[in-house]
Every structure is written in C-alpha cells, then in structure tokens.
C-alpha cells in the first residue's frame, strides 16, 4: 500500500542492530501480531477498541486453521520493524509492501493482496478511456513498455498539476513519466493532496485505489471521481504481505501454507470484496 513504502530507512539501521538477538526454536502455540489499527480498510480500531478490517478478519481465519493462539496489538508503523526484530512481536500485519530494502531486515509471507492505483479528479473526463476496474492498464517494470502505454495520459495531463504523497511507490512513477509535461506537487499525506484537489488548487491526484475508495465513500468526498484507467501489475512490486523475523522460517512456512489455502478457496477474494469493494487477490 502506498504509504508503507515510507519511513523504512530510519527503521533499517535499528532493525539491523537488533537482529543479532539469538534465534531460538519455539513451539509456536501462540504468536503476537502488530498492526497500526488505523489504516482503513486494511486495519482499523472499532468503537470499543476491537481491531477490525480486511487484515484482522483474514488473520482470524488463518489462526483458526493453523490452531494458533493469536494476539493482535496496536503499534505505530515507525517502530514496527525494530520491535519485530527485538522480539516484541512475531508477525507484522499492516499493508506492508514487499521491497528489496525491507528484505534485508525481515522476511515476508507470500503476498495476500496487490493494490492497483489510479488518477482521481473532480472531472471524470479529465483523462481518456473508461475508468476504474472496467479498464485496467497492466504495467511491467519496463520503461519500453510503460512509455507508449501512458502516452495518452501524458497528453491529457499536459500543463496540469498532479498531487502525490511523497515517499510512496507511486512518487517515482509520476516523476519519471509525467514531470516533463505536468507540474508535480508532493504532499506529506494523501489526505492533504485530496484537500488541495477539492479546493481546486491541483487538477488530479494519483494514489492507490484502496485509499481512494475509502475517501470517495466518505460523505464529504465532494465529488471526487476516478479518471482514466486503473494501473496495476508488477510495476508496483510483489504486493502486500505479512512480516517475520528472518530466523523464523518455520513460522513463515506455516503462514505461507495457510495463506495459499485462503487464496485458493476464495477466502481472500471474499474478504477483499467486503472491505475494498474490489478483488485485490494477487
């Protein structure tokens, strides 16, 4: 997910320092799981303090199937990887996108979601073509394929201003393929970009569809709509996955098996459509 590309640099060093903790075999009858509890609809804190959302509901299914006692605790994203490597938690569940940098300090499960992105604007006709799920543009991580594929979008955005949250996987894509034709304005958060869009200060935003769907569902979304195709594929990496200590290969293997089963039997699809209104199954 978009924003969880941020902040890994700071946690990288600490994670490395802490990962020298002695590895010891566990029976894994119980595991501690960390989540942010505030990243809707992936994970959220319900009235009364219970944790809900796509990931906690998926985790309930996985833990039942593995006959594991799972305790989910709320933890800020910033200290999450360091806390994992210090032994405070055993599993991270927070819409964490698999990246090469993170693989240096932690291990990942098989991905359970892969999130497409899209442009959104106040004018649905800003970009050509059908919008959203009806029209998906699948991009590989190959400039020779991407350039011709986004040419019509570049033409439509010529002279316009695009808002983007800084430090996400989407930021370099927009910089690389649109900065020469449009003005690119970076924001600390996706929400700040939406505020400027609804105020008419920028023409479009580019973000992941889970964030945009959640924003559009709010009563004060002020006419925010998708424009142009949904952009999906390997360009955004392998997808979102659970995080583990590198030493805990046995625990990762158990979760991988349970996840593969939940993907194969349609559980992931069902929960994805419930929470995201779109099937994010990898």
């Amino acid at each position: 997910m978009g924003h969880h590309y941020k902040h890994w640099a700071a946690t990288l060093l600490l994670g490395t320092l802490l990962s020298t903790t002695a590895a010891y075999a566990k029976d894994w009858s119980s595991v501690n799981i960390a989540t942010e509890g505030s990243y809707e609809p992936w994970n959220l804190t319900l009235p009364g303090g219970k944790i809900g959302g796509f990931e906690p509901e998926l985790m309930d299914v996985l833990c039942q199937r593995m006959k594991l006692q799972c305790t989910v605790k709320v933890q800020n994203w910033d200290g999450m990887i360091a806390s994992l490597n210090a032994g405070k938690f055993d599993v991270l569940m927070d819409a964490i996108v698999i990246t090469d940098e993170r693989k240096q300090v932690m291990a990942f499960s098989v991905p359970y979601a892969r999130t497409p992105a899209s442009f959104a604007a106040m004018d649905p006709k800003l970009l050509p073509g059908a919008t959203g799920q009806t029209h998906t543009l699948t991009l590989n991580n190959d400039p020779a394929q991407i350039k011709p594929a986004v040419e019509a979008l570049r033409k439509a955005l010529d002279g316009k201003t695009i808002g983007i949250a800084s430090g996400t996987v989407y930021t370099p894509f927009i910089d690389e393929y649109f900065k020469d034709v449009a003005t690119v304005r970076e924001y600390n958060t996706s929400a700040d970009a939406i505020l400027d869009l609804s105020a008419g200060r920028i023409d479009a935003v580019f973000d992941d569809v889970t964030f945009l769907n959640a924003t559009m569902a709010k009563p004060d979304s002020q006419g925010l709509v998708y424009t142009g195709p949904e952009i999906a594929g390997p360009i955004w990496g392998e997808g979102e996955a659970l995080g583990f200590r590198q030493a805990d290969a046995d625990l990762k293997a158990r979760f991988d098996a349970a996840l593969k089963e939940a993907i194969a039997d349609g559980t992931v699809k069902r929960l994805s459509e419930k929470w995201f209104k779109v099937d994010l199954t990898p």
Side-chain angles (χ1 to χ4, degrees):
M1 91 75 281
H3 89 162
H4 286 169
Y5 276 85
K6 284 190 191 176
H7 310 315
W8 63 261
T11 51
L12 201 60
L13 179 64
L14 191 54
T16 310
L17 294 174
L18 294 168
S19 62
T20 50
T21 316
Y24 50 94
K26 288 188 176 180
D27 62 356
W28 297 121
S29 55
S30 66
V31 293
N32 286 320
I33 299 157
T35 194
E36 204 172 333
S38 60
Y39 194 62
E40 276 186 71
W42 296 84
N43 55 78
L44 60 146
T45 305
L46 301 164
K50 190 181 182 314
I51 307 295
F54 168 74
E55 290 174 311
E57 287 196 4
L58 175 60
M59 186 59 78
D60 282 347
V61 173
L62 300 178
C63 291
Q64 276 172 7
R65 288 184 182 178
M66 293 183 287
K67 300 191 168 44
L68 270 182
Q69 188 189 336
C70 292
T71 308
V72 176
K73 296 177 179 173
V74 170
Q75 157 81 34
N76 280 349
W77 165 245
D78 284 356
M80 216 178 258
I81 297 172
S83 296
L84 171 76
N85 282 324
K88 190 177 170 190
F89 303 107
D90 306 306
V91 185
L92 304 186
M93 174 184 73
D94 200 28
I96 305 172
V97 174
I98 301 167
T99 66
D100 288 341
E101 292 88 351
R102 289 180 185 150
K103 283 179 182 173
Q104 294 169 29
V105 290
M106 62 198 283
F108 287 99
S109 68
V110 294
Y112 48 81
R114 191 183 276 155
T115 316
S118 179
F119 285 100
M122 307 313 281
D123 171 16
K125 295 191 169 59
L126 178 69
L127 298 179
T131 58
Q133 284 173 268
T134 52
H135 180 38
T136 300
L137 184 60
T138 303
L139 300 178
N140 298 315
N141 224 340
D142 173 13
Q145 184 238 357
I146 298 168
K147 278 209 156 100
V150 300
E151 193 47 49
L153 302 177
R154 284 167 49 82
K155 279 202 179 103
L157 288 164
D158 197 346
K160 303 278 197 262
T161 302
I162 305 166
I164 183 94
S166 62
T168 74
V169 66
Y170 310 120
T171 320
F173 168 75
I174 292 294
D175 283 349
E176 178 75 22
Y177 297 102
F178 295 93
K179 212 168 196 169
D180 59 331
V181 293
T183 303
V184 176
R185 198 170 292 174
E186 289 195 18
Y187 294 85
N188 285 332
T189 69
S190 298
D192 290 343
I194 297 290
L195 285 174
D196 265 10
L197 179 65
S198 51
R201 288 188 278 268
I202 59 177
D203 301 294
V205 296
F206 190 75
D207 214 315
D208 78 57
V209 299
T210 62
F211 167 76
L212 293 170
N213 283 343
T215 304
M216 289 173 191
K218 290 176 181 161
D220 59 351
S221 66
Q222 309 192 345
L224 179 71
V225 289
Y226 285 112
T227 182
E230 186 178 88
I231 298 177
I235 185 171
W236 309 135
E238 294 170 64
E240 287 86 357
L242 301 171
F244 303 89
R245 282 181 291 275
Q246 287 171 340
D248 295 339
D250 54 340
L251 185 64
K252 171 183 142 54
R254 284 180 70 180
F255 272 90
D256 278 347
L259 274 168
K260 284 174 184 168
E261 193 179 290
I263 289 167
D265 71 13
T267 302
V268 173
K269 181 177 192 281
R270 177 176 60 78
L271 291 175
S272 179
E273 286 173 343
K274 173 184 172 179
W275 285 99
F276 300 119
K277 313 291 183 262
V278 54
D279 181 11
L280 298 185
T281 310

